[in-house]
Amino acid sequence: MKTDLTDTTASKINKALVKARRAIGTPAVGMVLTLVIVTDEENAYDALKSANDASREHPSRTIVVIKRVSRSPRDRTKSRLDAEVRVGADAGTGETVVLRLYGEVADHAQSVVLPLLLPDAPVVVWWPVNAPLDPARDPLGALGQRRVTDSYAAEKPIEELRARAANYEPGDTDLAWTRITPWRSMLAAALDQVDCEVISAEVQGEQYNPSVELLAMWLADRLHVHVRRGVSAGPGLNEVRMLTSTGPIRLYRPNGGLALLTLEDQPDRAVALKRRETSELLAEELRRLDPDDTYASALRFGVDRLGGGLSGAAGGAPAAGGSVGSAGAGGAGAVTSAGVPGDASAFVPGAVSGSGPGLGAAVASAASAARASAAALPPAAPSGSAGSTGSTGSASAGDGDSERPTPAQMPPVKKANSS
C-alpha cells in the first residue's frame, strides 16, 4: 500500500503510517530498528531495494532521505517536504517512508527524521554514496548507534580510508570491510590448521578496491608482519598468499565464485567465496549494533604502512614462479628449508614481533635466525622489474603502487594503538 503526501509535515506522515497499518490489518508495530538511508535520487531505488531485502531478516522502519536540488535561486528559498509512505508488500517486512526535501529544509533533515524514529529502538544510518567525511558528527549520523558507509562508492577510495581512520568513532563501519568477512574467516581457519609462524603476506585485487587494502591492513595488524598490496585484474579480491615457517598458505579466487585453498602437505580444496549482494552485506551489519573493535584496529593501522605490489599484477593469475612457496629454486617465490624465501628483499620483513599461535621455541628460534641471515643480503628488485634502477624498488608497469616502499625498506611493524 502506498500513500503520497505533498507539502506535508512529520506529524501528517506519522498519521499516514498509522492509517496505512490499520488498512492492511496490522496495527501493531513489530519492527526492531530504524534504518535511515541518506542518498540521492539516482541511487535511491537500488538502496531501497537492498534495504527491503535485508528487512526479511531485520524488520525495520526504513526512512529514505533524498535532498532535492532546486532548479532556480527563487525555489531554493522555498521549503517543501514531500513524502511517500509504503506498508505491506511494497515495504518488505517493515514499513518505508521516502522523504524528498526541497529548499532550506534540506539543510535541517535531522529535524524531519527525528519525529519519525521508532521509540526505544536502535537507529542505523547508511550512506550508499557520498558519505560525509565525519559520519559521527553529521547531523543525521549523530542520530544513529551505527553508521554505515561504503568507501568503494567514493571517487578516491584510498583517500576515503584515510578520512575514515582520522575521524573514526565507535559505531562506524564500512561495507568494504563487510565484503571481506568470508576471507577473514577462511584465513583464520587456515592458520588454525597449522602450527607455524607467519613471516610475510601479500594481498592481490583490483587497483581501486578498498576491500583489498582493508584485508591487507587486517593481516598486518593481527600478524605483526609486513604485508604487500598487489594489483590484479579482479574482480574484487583475487588472492592472499602467506609465507610461514612451515610452508606457504594460498587462498586464490580467480573469478569471484569458488576459491582454492592451498596448504603445505595437504590436498588443495575448493571453498565458496562468492561475491555478495549489497542486501547481504547490509543484513550482516544489522546483526550487531555494538562497535566493531577489529575494524577500528585494522583501520587505524594505516593504508600507508602497506608494502608495494609484485609484478605480474595486471593479469588475473600470478606469474609463473611468483606464488609464495613455488618450487623454482632462487625465484621470487622459492622457499628455503628454514621457511625463508629465496628472494629475501621481497618477502622478509625488517623485524617480526611475536610468533604464530602454538609455535614451538625451536621453530621460532630457527626461523628468526634464518630471517636475520637473509636480511643481511643485499636488496634485490621485485620479480619482473628487471632493468629498474634506484633503491626504492619500483613496482612493475600498471601496478599503480610505485610510490609505496617495499617491505625491506620499512621499519619494524608495531601494532597500531587501539585507544
Side-chain angles (χ1 to χ4, degrees):
M1 179 178 179
K2 294 183 181 180
T3 304
D4 291 324
L5 302 173
T6 303
D7 198 6
T8 187
T9 63
S11 177
K12 293 179 180 178
I13 295 172
N14 269 320
K15 291 178 180 179
L17 284 168
V18 174
K19 183 178 179 180
R21 286 199 300 268
R22 289 176 177 172
I24 65 174
T26 57
V29 179
M31 290 160 286
V32 298
L33 59 88
T34 302
L35 175 62
V36 180
I37 305 175
V38 187
T39 184
D40 52 24
E41 198 72 63
E42 179 183 357
N43 296 280
Y45 175 82
D46 291 336
L48 189 53
K49 182 178 183 301
S50 298
N52 287 343
D53 292 341
S55 71
R56 296 189 179 97
E57 184 177 339
H58 309 278
S60 59
R61 173 178 288 180
T62 303
I63 302 175
V64 184
V65 180
I66 303 174
K67 300 178 181 181
R68 298 294 298 268
V69 178
S70 301
R71 296 183 178 179
S72 65
R74 180 179 298 177
D75 292 337
R76 296 188 189 115
T77 62
K78 300 177 182 179
S79 297
R80 190 174 95 238
L81 171 63
D82 294 344
E84 182 179 335
V85 176
R86 305 178 185 180
V87 296
D90 296 316
T93 59
E95 55 191 26
T96 300
V97 179
V98 181
L99 303 175
R100 291 181 172 86
L101 288 69
Y102 299 82
E104 294 181 353
V105 72
D107 297 328
H108 305 280
Q110 72 278 7
S111 62
V112 179
V113 172
L114 187 59
L116 302 177
L117 301 178
L118 290 173
D120 302 323
V123 179
V124 179
V125 185
W126 174 33
W127 291 269
V129 293
N130 302 325
L133 290 178
D134 193 346
R137 289 176 175 79
D138 181 82
L140 284 172
L143 300 176
Q145 284 77 36
R146 289 297 298 270
R147 294 163 295 275
V148 184
T149 59
D150 191 355
S151 54
Y152 184 74
E155 183 178 358
K156 297 180 179 180
I158 306 306
E159 294 297 329
E160 193 80 2
L161 287 180
R162 293 189 179 103
R164 294 285 165 265
N167 301 307
Y168 175 82
E169 293 290 340
D172 292 353
T173 191
D174 193 334
L175 291 187
W177 170 258
T178 316
R179 290 184 180 96
I180 63 174
T181 300
W183 285 81
R184 294 190 294 121
S185 300
M186 195 64 61
L187 292 171
L191 286 175
D192 284 341
Q193 299 178 40
V194 292
D195 185 16
C196 67
E197 176 187 12
V198 179
I199 299 174
S200 63
E202 180 191 357
V203 181
Q204 286 199 8
E206 289 176 326
Q207 183 172 2
Y208 300 108
N209 193 319
S211 296
V212 184
E213 265 80 13
L214 283 170
L215 182 59
M217 289 189 289
W218 172 72
L219 286 172
D221 180 55
R222 293 288 125 181
L223 299 176
H224 298 193
V225 298
H226 289 305
V227 180
R228 189 186 320 227
R229 201 283 197 208
V231 180
S232 69
L237 267 165
N238 286 119
E239 184 177 8
V240 175
R241 293 183 283 177
M242 294 186 292
L243 185 67
T244 73
S245 55
T246 59
I249 297 176
R250 182 184 187 225
L251 183 60
Y252 177 55
R253 185 181 68 177
N255 55 12
L258 285 176
L260 187 68
L261 177 62
T262 303
L263 298 173
E264 188 76 6
D265 298 328
Q266 295 187 25
D268 296 349
R269 65 198 74 175
V271 294
L273 275 180
K274 72 181 185 70
R275 294 170 61 83
R276 297 184 291 170
E277 300 291 337
T278 304
S279 59
E280 298 176 78
L281 304 175
L282 185 61
E284 179 183 325
E285 284 300 332
L286 296 180
R287 289 181 198 133
R288 52 175 296 174
L289 300 178
D290 56 316
D292 192 341
D293 296 332
T294 305
Y295 165 69
S297 181
L299 191 65
R300 287 169 173 160
F301 179 86
V303 67
D304 296 317
R305 298 175 69 183
L306 300 177
L310 283 176
S311 64
S323 299
V324 177
S326 59
V335 183
T336 65
S337 59
V340 179
D343 187 350
S345 68
F347 292 101
V348 178
V352 179
S353 59
S355 61
L359 180 65
V363 177
S365 177
S368 300
R371 285 198 309 276
S373 176
L377 296 175
S383 174
S385 60
S388 59
T389 59
S391 60
T392 58
S394 60
S396 62
D399 194 336
D401 292 323
S402 57
E403 72 278 3
R404 291 175 176 165
T406 61
Q409 299 166 335
M410 299 179 69
V413 175
K414 295 183 180 179
K415 187 173 181 180
N417 187 4
S418 59
S419 59

